[in-house]
Amino acid sequence: CRGKSAWPMAAHRSRSPWRKPHKTESPLERFVIRGNTVSRKKEPDSIVAKAYRGLRKHRELFDVAAGWREEWFDPDFVVAWKANTREAWDAIVTEHVPGAVYSCKMMSETFCEMLIEEVDHFATTGLPARRPNSMNSYGIILNEIGFRPMMDILQGHILAKISARYWPRIAPFDGHHTFIVRYKEGEDLGLDMHTDDSDVTFNLCLGKDFTGAGLSFCGVMGAANHRKHQYTFYHEVGRCVWHLGRQRHGADDIQSGERLNLIVWNHSSRYRSTREYTAPVYKKEHESPDAICLSYTHDRDYGIFKSYSEANDKWQGRGWCPRRGFEYDGFESEEEPPGGVRPPSE
């Protein structure tokens, strides 16, 4: 971590979000995170969230007054937060791609297990749940079951401050889309290369037991190397990886077991009004893409390097990337499928 620290100094106890409670509280609850850091538009609870209030398994996960408890975080993360020195953060944060992809052990197994149990419990209630996003078919939107207020707190006190250490121009965070995705045999195995509808993404592995399922990173959308492989990250329970939403990435297929991840797409209204966001730079690619970075949903040359399968052949001929006029030298566009391009509804 370089430059002036964006984290509140531990010495200023009155300003720190880790607040000492009354002496009657247990040692494990000696510090909690609570309260909002930015003004937010109050979002009404969804019909599902209202129906779920009386059915919650772990009510403490939704307790805004109590906030986020210390035992929910990894002990080393808490130490770094309290010390708030460059040395302390360097000791726990790994920079996987310079200036682009970082991770650290953030949450405890206690928290991860609780959240998985809550999600599994919700599935037994029969209440409806929308798919997490346009690409993942299995999972749940946590904001829609009443978890938004707790995520507001985490975003303001933790995620925004971590992000500010690396991308201070993307601030303040004033919104988020928070959801859980699930990968297992018979459901989603992986996820095609893509970018997120997010300014900064935080991705936390909750469990369960699994093999495979790496997270492969390529370049930032619009960069000359945005389809060149940079790094493959391997999930560990409690470890959180963060990156720009414009960083091209994809979930490699799971080999066995089941994996659940908590994902937070952070949004900054101020940043989204800047020219960097509204008119991003797009450069010509220097050379052909790496195979691992190809996207069957986005790329015009996917079929040149890879074969479509029955599962993804509806996308053939529908790609847009790279933009016309920005292709690498020698670029070839894939042919349209027999019978023409299929409409998106098929």
Side-chain angles (χ1 to χ4, degrees):
C1 304
R2 296 183 174 86
K4 185 177 180 181
S5 173
W7 297 79
M9 294 299 292
H12 299 297
R13 294 298 185 190
S14 62
R15 297 178 61 187
S16 173
W18 296 93
R19 299 180 182 178
K20 287 186 177 180
H22 299 296
K23 293 181 180 180
T24 55
E25 295 186 8
S26 69
L28 283 177
E29 296 175 340
R30 213 175 318 174
F31 295 90
V32 295
I33 298 177
R34 55 175 171 254
N36 282 314
T37 60
V38 297
S39 177
R40 298 175 184 268
K41 178 182 178 182
K42 184 172 176 56
E43 298 283 349
D45 281 344
S46 68
I47 294 175
V48 172
K50 292 177 181 178
Y52 189 57
R53 282 178 192 163
L55 304 175
R56 296 168 178 168
K57 181 177 180 65
H58 295 292
R59 297 182 183 277
E60 59 269 41
L61 287 174
F62 301 85
D63 190 345
V64 175
W68 289 76
R69 306 181 185 193
E70 181 176 0
E71 68 265 31
W72 293 355
F73 295 87
D74 180 79
D76 290 339
F77 180 86
V78 175
V79 168
W81 172 269
K82 291 177 181 178
N84 192 34
T85 63
R86 175 176 175 177
E87 292 74 19
W89 289 111
D90 284 350
I92 68 165
V93 174
T94 300
E95 184 179 49
H96 301 286
V97 179
V101 180
Y102 304 86
S103 78
C104 75
K105 186 73 178 297
M106 182 182 291
M107 309 305 291
S108 67
E109 290 189 9
T110 297
F111 172 80
C112 295
E113 291 171 1
M114 285 177 60
L115 191 53
I116 288 178
E117 288 176 1
E118 192 68 44
V119 172
D120 286 346
H121 172 69
F122 176 85
T124 69
T125 66
L127 292 171
R130 290 193 300 143
R131 58 189 295 186
N133 53 63
S134 62
M135 299 185 73
N136 288 98
S137 298
Y138 298 90
I140 187 172
I141 302 173
L142 290 180
N143 290 355
E144 294 187 355
I145 70 168
F147 203 58
R148 181 192 297 275
M150 286 293 279
M151 287 307 305
D152 288 347
I153 296 171
L154 187 72
Q155 182 188 59
H157 287 294
I158 299 292
L159 307 186
K161 290 180 171 61
I162 291 177
S163 176
R165 296 181 65 86
Y166 307 100
W167 307 290
R169 67 190 185 282
I170 306 178
F173 289 166
D174 53 10
H176 59 86
H177 178 57
T178 300
F179 54 94
I180 285 178
V181 294
R182 185 175 72 210
Y183 297 95
K184 63 184 293 187
E185 186 176 358
E187 297 182 356
D188 290 335
L189 295 176
L191 195 62
D192 186 35
M193 278 287 162
H194 63 284
T195 57
D196 297 336
D197 181 15
S198 165
D199 301 328
V200 178
T201 296
F202 284 79
N203 185 338
L204 170 72
C205 181
L206 300 174
K208 302 177 181 177
D209 294 324
F210 60 89
T211 59
L215 184 62
S216 293
F217 287 95
C218 302
V220 173
M221 177 56 65
N225 68 343
H226 81 269
R227 296 197 296 165
K228 304 298 289 184
H229 183 242
Q230 306 294 310
Y231 183 78
T232 296
F233 173 84
Y234 290 96
H235 293 287
E236 300 173 13
V237 174
R239 193 167 191 89
C240 184
V241 58
W242 58 93
H243 57 88
L244 294 176
R246 288 175 57 81
Q247 196 86 32
R248 180 176 270 218
H249 59 287
D252 302 336
D253 284 356
I254 194 168
Q255 300 301 314
S256 66
E258 180 179 1
R259 175 168 68 85
L260 285 85
N261 281 53
L262 168 65
I263 298 177
V264 187
W265 286 355
N266 296 279
H267 303 143
S268 169
S269 298
R270 181 184 298 173
Y271 171 69
R272 292 191 169 204
S273 68
T274 66
R275 187 164 180 80
E276 179 182 343
Y277 181 85
T278 60
V281 174
Y282 198 100
K283 297 181 179 179
K284 176 182 176 179
E285 290 183 305
H286 290 160
E287 57 185 332
S288 60
D290 291 337
I292 195 173
C293 294
L294 287 165
S295 165
Y296 59 79
T297 57
H298 299 97
D299 293 346
R300 294 192 288 134
D301 54 355
Y302 180 89
I304 300 298
F305 299 96
K306 290 186 175 183
S307 297
Y308 283 92
S309 66
E310 291 185 5
N312 63 24
D313 62 2
K314 69 177 181 179
W315 297 97
Q316 186 174 352
R318 289 167 53 183
W320 61 269
C321 182
R323 291 181 183 175
R324 298 186 186 279
F326 294 89
E327 303 94 336
Y328 53 88
D329 293 340
F331 172 85
E332 292 182 61
S333 182
E334 65 187 16
E335 296 180 355
E336 290 189 1
V341 178
R342 294 165 59 180
S345 59
E346 291 188 15

